[in-house]
Amino acid sequence: MSEAAMAAVRAYLDAYAGAATPIPALAARGAVHLAAAGLPGGAPESWRHTDPGELLARRFAVDALPVEVDAPSDLPQLAGAVRRVWVAGQPAPALDAAELAPGARMWALETDPEGVGAQIAPERDGFAALNALGFRHGAGLALDAGVVLAEPVHLLWWSSADQPALAAHPRVAIRLGAHAAATVVVHQAGAPEAGGFLNSAIEIALEAGAVLKLLVVDQSGAGAFGLSQVAVRCARDSRLEVWLIDAGAGWVRRELDVALAEPGATVNLHGLVQGRRALRADNEIVIRHEAPHTHSRQQTRAVLEDRARAVFGGGVAVAAGAQGITARQGNATLLLSRRAEVVTRPALEILADDVQCSHGASVGQLDEAALFYLRSRGLDRDAARALLVASFARAALPDVPVAGVLDWVFDGIETRSPVAATA
Amino acid sequence: MLQIDDLQVSVEDRPILKGLSLKVNAGEIHAIMGPNGSGKSTLAAVLAGREGYVHTGGAVHYRGQDLLALAPEARAREGVFLGFQYPVEIPGVNNVYLLKASLNAQRRHRGEPELDAFEFLRLVREQMTFMGIPEEFLRRSVNEGFSGGEKKRNEILQMLILQPRLAILDEIDSGLDIDALKVVSRGIEALRSPDRAMILVTHYQRLLDYVTPDFVHVLAGGRIVRSGGKELARELEAEGYGAVVAGAGA
């Protein structure tokens, strides 16, 4: 462990020592593991292309000021969504909206933390340990068997510029009963000048036949650090649809670990890094095919301008005996600046023999032929360029179940037809 | 409408057009025919403003303006339309969106109000019916997954909606079966008008069975080596480019 990392570990241990915590046993395990493993304290390979140095050098406040209850006018909203909001890591019930349908339950996770840590244990790595130590507030969502939520659930962590740069360690637990279905937007956003460190742990369990549409969206400001660990277990014939969207300006690292634990389980993942300014986004994805006849697809894209940098770690692990699986992954990147950079790192570990796995990556610039085609139809160069970039990016996010999310990401650049939009 | 004088153009230091002259008046349809590599597609690309073509001599005037000084989008807004030999697939950009953006760019340029969605869709549907294009087309991306014939129909649809003053159709007939050729030809004929001119660049005489040109030019070695009426196309068909070009002394 580097000296900076040791200093960071000491600072966090001191800051959280003796503080009241909703799950003392979990916090204690976190403290022990953080001290022992240090930061980042995970698989070194997965950190090879992302330097945690800047994050470790920063010191964050750990106690939030009282939350202002006025709705910030720039708070991103989704029409019709059931919304829960945390400002600087603290619940902001005044900003919440709507209640869930019968058969679905949402609660403050800290009040009923049963099962927390089962999928993301403090011993996973240093940041999981830190989360266990610093966890104060979070969200639980449970659907009974067969319950289908019509409205999306929008979980928003908002960073306000009024707060000092804070560290917060939220947790989310989502459990869908057999054949239940929900759409959940896990959203980190903030005022452009807001900083801070959100170190989240998200545990998700899908029972047989359940369907979860999960959108993980980061729109944090330039001073923000976001690290999230997401663990999903998919039972028989359940389906996880994921959209990972990075459209902020800060430092983002996401570790998504999906276990396709029983036959018929499927994950379909889409990702977009919309990189501007100095965005650094690292998506480390591991799909575990633990059972036969499980299926995964990962299609990620990046559009990188300015000095943006994207890392895609696409891991597929096929267990011995997991026959008849399919695993596909692909990445396409549009590099629009000489200073932008992308790293794609597929990692396949296959211990079964009857499998279909594929991966591919491409990096390119704007298609000059397409640019000329659009200009020959009267669109000026800038408009044509913006249209091509937006259409490349949009294609990374097909079938998004909550249209409002696309409006956040694409700044109103329209590529759809007036017919499709109103149909 | 269009006056080309002694035009010389190179691609990667290789001269392609070597002194091409052509005058096109409003109301006329000109066919430019020639063997492969004669410079036909280069001429079309240069007129529309594609990059990578170096203008080394001569001049092109369009309605009194120096055409080559205009950006491609400015040419389009002034009423120049290029129908592509190979229309580009643009995944994610909706067909109708492009049509609307194109039309409104021209209307803004002419100081006319943009069409509202309702008026615009009425116009598009009318022309789609005329071109035998199915409704589903409205929701598809520009040329994505289109067959060769669908792409060419789409070019003609764009032309019908944009109503250019000068249309340059680059091998619009290539890759079309006879039914598609008839539909495309009907679209071209529908635009024939006293204040519009068209240049049909083609390798084959086939298109000219359906669209009757006023003038036929033979392009060979980067120059127009023979010009004539529609009967010249028949002669080419009967005798081949070799004989006609040799007879012209090129």
Side-chain angles (χ1 to χ4, degrees), chain B residues 192-214:
Chain B
R192 194 193 277 266
S193 132
D195 31 80
R196 180 173 294 125
M198 286 197 250
I199 299 175
L200 310 177
V201 174
T202 180
H203 187 79
Y204 301 105
Q205 184 266 338
R206 201 171 67 130
L207 172 67
L208 309 181
D209 289 342
Y210 300 95
V211 181
T212 309
D214 301 299

Side-chain angles (χ1 to χ4, degrees), chain A residues 70-248:
Chain A
D70 295 345
S73 56
D74 43 358
L75 200 70
Q77 314 219 358
L78 286 175
V82 177
R83 185 174 72 210
R84 298 292 179 269
V85 183
W86 294 260
V87 175
Q90 297 192 101
L95 302 178
D96 290 353
E99 292 303 321
L100 285 175
R105 186 169 79 96
M106 193 150 55
W107 69 97
L109 193 61
E110 59 276 18
T111 62
D112 178 6
E114 163 124 28
V116 164
Q119 288 169 272
I120 301 175
E123 292 77 19
R124 174 193 164 111
D125 66 11
F127 286 108
L130 177 59
N131 175 286
L133 175 62
F135 167 60
R136 298 293 179 270
H137 304 285
L141 172 69
L143 267 64
D144 294 343
V147 172
V148 175
L149 273 191
E151 308 304 340
V153 174
H154 181 197
L155 306 176
L156 172 61
W157 280 266
W158 178 257
S159 311
S160 152
D162 306 333
Q163 293 273 349
L166 270 159
H169 310 274
R171 292 191 84 101
V172 176
I174 299 172
R175 288 157 208 154
L176 300 193
H179 303 286
T183 297
V184 179
V185 181
V186 175
H187 189 192
Q188 303 189 352
E193 63 278 28
F197 174 34
L198 267 182
N199 175 34
S200 326
I202 300 170
E203 296 172 297
I204 298 171
L206 306 184
E207 291 184 23
V211 178
L212 175 64
K213 297 185 175 183
L214 176 68
L215 296 96
V216 185
V217 185
D218 185 283
Q219 294 181 284
S220 303
F225 293 83
L227 189 146
S228 48
Q229 301 186 332
V230 186
V232 188
R233 182 185 186 278
C234 298
R236 179 177 285 270
D237 297 329
S238 64
R239 193 170 89 237
L240 174 68
E241 301 269 343
V242 197
W243 293 263
L244 303 176
I245 303 170
D246 292 305

